[in-house]
Amino acid sequence: MYLIFRCDCGRAMYSREGVAHRKCVCGKNIQVKSRRIIYYAEDFQSAAEAVRALQEEKYGGTCFTTANQL
Ligand SMILES: [Zn+2]
């Protein structure tokens, strides 16, 4: 089982169940248990897929606006 959660910087990421800490690309060390779990995934593939969807949800709108202005 994989857990999907967000860092304070807003980046979505996943961690295998049972892993206590996860380091975000922003440099913050996340204590997995202290985060609100957004989503549970059965395997690595669906975890990666869920993270990708969450990233698009957050940044997709901005990209669309930028592309629209071109
Ligand atoms: Zn972060």
Side-chain angles (χ1 to χ4, degrees), residues 7-11 24-28:
C7 174
D8 292 337
C9 71
R11 180 171 289 272
C24 178
V25 287
C26 74
K28 193 176 165 65

